[in-house]
Amino acid sequence: MIPGHVPSSPHLFRPVLRAAAAWLVALLIAAALVPAPLERAADPAHAPNPAKAAWFLLGVQELVSHGTAWIWALVALAAGFVALPWLRRTPAEHAAWFRRGERLFAAAIAGLALALLALTLIGLCFRGAQWRFVLPS
């Protein structure tokens, strides 16, 4: 054991395991008590217009609705997120959230995440029939 360090094995993992078990029980109870918001059965002859994507893809659907060339920006953004661990210029001596030299980079990543969240909320709340912009009711 390294002097000055506390082992994390029983001190950290037991509370995390208890919290995960409590969360699992809460989800099981919620799944049993809260009914799923299902729509009517699918009918291929009468598809909804527009067919909205799942909530986690609405930002992508909103972006592509403005032009199909935007999908390449999304692909480049995804590739950038995959490459994030290798983009650090200086080796890390200690853990830190926002280093002085990387604050602009962190602000750009946060801005992109907020833009994707805004696109998702627009697609979820402000799009109606024929993908028209409507106010939420």
Side-chain angles (χ1 to χ4, degrees), residues 57-123:
L57 291 175
L58 276 175
V60 175
Q61 186 177 11
E62 179 69 28
L63 188 67
V64 173
S65 72
H66 297 291
T68 54
W70 284 102
I71 195 68
W72 293 111
L74 192 67
V75 169
L77 179 64
F81 276 125
V82 169
L84 273 179
W86 294 281
L87 292 178
R88 182 177 297 259
R89 294 184 197 142
T90 58
E93 294 177 8
H94 63 281
W97 280 100
F98 301 107
R99 296 171 191 247
R100 287 195 175 132
E102 298 174 354
R103 287 189 178 152
L104 182 63
F105 183 68
I109 295 296
L112 288 171
L114 287 174
L116 187 60
L117 178 66
L119 287 171
T120 301
L121 289 176
I122 289 171

